Amino acid sequence: MTSNDTSVSRRSLLKAAGGAAASASVAGYVDTGSAEDVQQGDGQQGGGTLTYARGNDSGTLDPQNTTSGEDVKVTNQIYDRLIEFEPGQSSLIEGLATEWSLDGQQATVTMREGATFHNGDECTVDDFIATYRRFTDSNYEYYPGDEYVSSYGPFTLGNWVSGVEKNGDYEMTIQLEQRYAPFLRNLAMFASSVLSERAIQERGTDLSTNPMGTGPFVFENWDTGNQRIRLSANQNYWGQVPSVNEVVFTAIGSNTTRAQTLVSGGANIIDGLGAQAAQIVDQSQNAELLEKQGINIGYLAFNMARVEAFRDKRVRKAISYAINTEAIVNTIFRGIAVQASQPIPSNVFGYNEELDPYPHDPQQAQQLLNDAGYGDGFTFELATFQNPRAYNPSPIQAAQTVKSNLEQVGVTVNINQQPFNPFLNYTSSGKHDACFLGWMTDNADPDNFYYALLHPGISQDQVPQGQDWVSWDTEGLNTLDVAAWANTDFMDVTEQAQRTYNRQERADLYRQAAEIAHEEVPWVFMDHAKELRGIGPNVENFVVAPIGGPFLKQVSLSN
């Protein structure tokens, strides 16, 4: 995914200069760091091994090579970012930066002195510059290649940053290509994790299996055969030293088996809970069920570039009417989710309260198919992941319901279920006809849904006239836009919202974007789910975090 003007020379403009960065702010929008935001000093070292059980193993431990939340659960323990999220909240607090500001097309950052990587090297501006270049600059000597760098590179930093001006070891000015309201929040996203310049130069793409950051935990080993990753506490951490000696991430594919493992004492924390597994935890005397409103979306995306029928809005609407999302939410997800009407949930600003979910109306669906010339039906593949996700805790059952619903209006669905990591590769390369997918926000900003998932990441003049989709070989296509949707009205509104620093004006623009998405239906909007976690009786100080987590550095185990 690229910006409207993506010349490499501008993105790789890295200047060294003297002087201190000026401090400024954007009225009504920008969060500004404070020295009181982060608890520092020597943490009380407790002990023990914290076992975190999840539905799937990691695919990589390089934050610049992934779009998977499973990978991020681990890398968030190993790496820090310039700015962090308050555990369990969406407010910004200090990380490797102690001060920051945004004014127009310029962000200034003061980095923390004394924070060290796991090899003992101090983290400085040079490390951030190397991180930025490795992620976005194809002319950088250590750029690992377009096939390696994830689609997060452009929409996190690459599309927006024109250069970084070094003003000493701990001061820098980041020049932006345009006014870009979410930028400070982008610096807190997992994809902005700060890497070691030395590790980049010495290890290259080995960071996928041998990561090194400044974070509270140090990578020890990865037993891929048993799907187990072991981390140890970083005794030299710049912040509060973790209370546990080590963390072990383990994968247990079955929801119910994972819940039973928690209840029997084989794990301390579990996630990826469906309704049945949540009930097992909730009814147990040996575990506790925690829940919090999520910041996510689950959807079925139509690949318009691959299936001709999906290019007709009437067909997309027909499928939206035919699928009983209310039954999926109430019967399969059983109360842990609500129906969706738009890309963002109600706890994100810019939510449009005037929009309702598409009702289950097979008669209306059949009429629309008739009008579109598909009254006799057609066939498509529905690709789905097998393992539970927060936004779709029972994907196979949900896919079977979709298949059954569409059979009633003459549409045949062939379900293609895959493990999560191969599935992500499959959909990001456009091989699917339609697919289940979802999104757990990276920064709690509406741009992280609207632009990241539904903007093709190209300029409007790259969209063929009279067409609202583009082919998968379009240069610069955002591969997170798995519908290959390219509606220029939608693109215009979301681009305006990015450049607008007034929060109310931005909210109004996103309400307009929601109306367009609801009417044009690039997705079947399925659900917004709660974030559910199960914890054992000896787990203390764990918070459910819809964004930026899990925060395991503050967790302790009682005797």
Side-chain angles (χ1 to χ4, degrees):
M1 180 168 61
T2 58
S3 64
N4 294 349
D5 183 355
T6 58
S7 64
V8 173
S9 60
R10 288 189 296 105
R11 289 194 291 152
S12 60
L13 180 61
L14 303 167
K15 299 178 180 179
S23 177
S25 64
V26 178
Y29 180 75
V30 174
D31 301 277
T32 302
S34 163
E36 299 175 355
D37 283 330
V38 175
Q39 182 178 0
Q40 298 185 48
D42 298 325
Q44 294 296 319
Q45 181 67 18
T49 297
L50 175 67
T51 300
Y52 192 110
R54 56 208 179 127
N56 201 65
D57 195 18
S58 294
T60 178
L61 297 181
D62 187 338
Q64 294 185 343
N65 185 32
T66 183
T67 64
S68 169
E70 295 297 351
D71 299 339
V72 174
K73 291 171 189 175
V74 181
T75 60
N76 275 353
Q77 316 309 315
I78 299 170
Y79 292 95
D80 293 314
R81 289 134 298 279
L82 293 176
I83 304 172
E84 303 284 352
F85 291 104
E86 178 79 40
Q89 307 296 325
S90 60
S91 53
L92 301 179
I93 61 173
E94 292 180 22
L96 291 173
T98 56
E99 295 180 16
W100 56 84
S101 61
L102 176 65
D103 184 19
Q105 292 180 220
Q106 186 177 87
T108 59
V109 176
T110 300
M111 292 185 66
R112 181 182 304 280
E113 297 185 33
T116 59
F117 288 98
H118 298 155
N119 67 349
D121 290 348
E122 187 174 20
C123 181
T124 69
V125 168
D126 288 332
D127 295 294
F128 177 80
I129 291 175
T131 297
Y132 157 66
R133 295 195 68 187
R134 180 182 186 259
F135 209 13
T136 66
D137 182 5
S138 59
N139 286 338
Y140 184 45
E141 180 181 358
Y142 303 101
Y143 182 73
D146 292 336
E147 297 301 318
Y148 183 88
V149 172
S150 81
S151 52
Y152 271 81
F155 82 76
T156 303
L157 297 173
N159 285 353
W160 321 118
V161 178
S162 62
V164 180
E165 182 178 330
K166 179 181 175 182
N167 305 318
D169 288 343
Y170 309 104
E171 303 279 344
M172 61 179 157
T173 302
I174 303 172
Q175 300 291 341
L176 304 184
E177 296 283 1
Q178 63 172 62
R179 290 167 60 89
Y180 180 63
F183 183 68
L184 295 178
R185 291 188 166 274
N186 279 16
L187 293 180
M189 288 165 50
F190 81 89
S192 296
S193 294
V194 179
L195 313 182
S196 158
E197 182 180 28
R198 179 183 293 192
I200 288 172
Q201 296 172 352
E202 294 179 352
R203 302 185 186 185
T205 55
D206 187 44
L207 291 173
S208 64
T209 56
N210 192 15
M212 185 184 71
T214 61
F217 290 94
V218 179
F219 174 73
E220 293 293 338
N221 57 69
W222 185 358
D223 181 352
T224 56
N226 291 306
Q227 300 187 336
R228 190 169 298 156
I229 297 172
R230 187 176 300 274
L231 312 176
S232 64
N234 178 9
Q235 299 298 329
N236 297 312
Y237 187 52
W238 57 264
Q240 182 174 351
V241 173
S243 294
V244 297
N245 293 329
E246 59 180 7
V247 170
V248 174
F249 286 90
T250 186
I252 302 174
S254 165
N255 288 6
T256 54
T257 302
R258 199 176 323 110
Q260 290 162 353
T261 300
L262 174 71
V263 170
S264 65
N268 302 110
I269 302 172
I270 65 172
D271 64 16
L273 295 170
Q276 183 177 356
Q279 188 175 38
I280 291 172
V281 174
D282 196 32
Q283 294 179 349
S284 170
Q285 299 297 313
N286 298 320
E288 181 181 358
L289 180 68
L290 304 179
E291 65 176 54
K292 190 167 188 172
Q293 185 177 5
I295 312 177
N296 55 52
I297 175 68
Y299 56 91
L300 183 158
F302 302 107
N303 187 352
M304 300 178 205
R306 186 174 173 89
V307 179
E308 184 175 356
F310 292 159
R311 299 169 191 171
D312 192 318
K313 179 174 67 174
R314 294 170 296 184
V315 172
R316 304 195 300 267
K317 280 193 170 185
I319 292 175
S320 294
Y321 280 118
I323 295 175
N324 193 343
T325 57
E326 184 177 14
I328 291 173
V329 166
N330 293 336
T331 305
I332 299 177
F333 299 168
R334 284 188 283 182
I336 66 175
V338 296
Q339 280 181 279
S341 64
Q342 57 199 281
I344 62 174
S346 60
N347 55 349
V348 173
F349 80 89
Y351 181 79
N352 192 325
E353 296 182 352
E354 296 182 1
L355 300 176
D356 294 320
Y358 276 81
H360 180 51
D361 190 340
Q363 184 175 356
Q364 176 72 359
Q366 188 65 67
Q367 183 60 56
L368 285 166
L369 289 172
N370 292 342
D371 294 345
Y374 292 94
D376 294 331
F378 65 100
T379 300
F380 71 88
E381 170 218 71
L382 173 59
T384 181
F385 42 90
Q386 298 170 331
N387 305 94
R389 306 297 296 156
Y391 46 76
N392 191 338
S394 303
I396 305 304
Q397 286 179 276
Q400 291 167 344
T401 299
V402 168
K403 178 181 177 70
S404 177
N405 288 162
L406 292 181
E407 282 177 351
Q408 296 176 23
V409 293
V411 176
T412 301
V413 174
N414 297 320
I415 299 173
N416 176 5
Q417 53 179 291
Q418 303 177 30
F420 193 57
N421 293 322
F423 168 82
L424 288 180
N425 292 331
Y426 186 76
T427 56
S428 66
S429 57
K431 296 177 181 178
H432 59 288
D433 291 347
C435 66
F436 276 162
L437 255 175
W439 191 254
M440 296 174 285
T441 186
D442 299 301
N443 65 7
D445 192 280
D447 179 74
N448 190 239
F449 292 86
Y450 284 101
Y451 188 88
L453 303 179
L454 287 166
H455 191 294
I458 59 177
S459 63
Q460 294 184 32
D461 59 17
Q462 287 179 266
V463 182
Q465 189 171 4
Q467 189 170 298
D468 64 353
W469 58 276
V470 291
S471 65
W472 278 82
D473 60 1
T474 302
E475 183 178 358
L477 178 68
N478 166 24
T479 57
L480 290 175
D481 177 13
V482 292
W485 190 47
N487 181 289
T488 53
D489 290 337
F490 178 89
M491 293 167 67
D492 183 60
V493 171
T494 53
E495 290 165 14
Q496 286 184 54
Q498 288 177 337
R499 297 189 294 267
T500 301
Y501 285 174
N502 181 280
R503 185 181 177 92
Q504 185 56 54
E505 291 177 7
R506 290 191 75 213
D508 290 341
L509 288 167
Y510 285 120
R511 281 188 277 269
Q512 292 179 40
E515 290 179 6
I516 297 171
H518 186 271
E519 171 62 23
E520 298 296 326
V521 283
W523 301 340
V524 175
F525 301 102
M526 293 184 62
D527 73 294
H528 306 295
K530 296 178 182 177
E531 293 281 351
L532 302 178
R533 304 289 186 271
I535 63 171
N538 64 335
V539 173
E540 298 179 350
N541 301 323
F542 176 75
V543 297
V544 179
I547 180 172
F551 294 92
L552 302 183
K553 63 185 177 183
Q554 63 191 39
V555 176
S556 61
L557 299 174
S558 61
N559 296 325

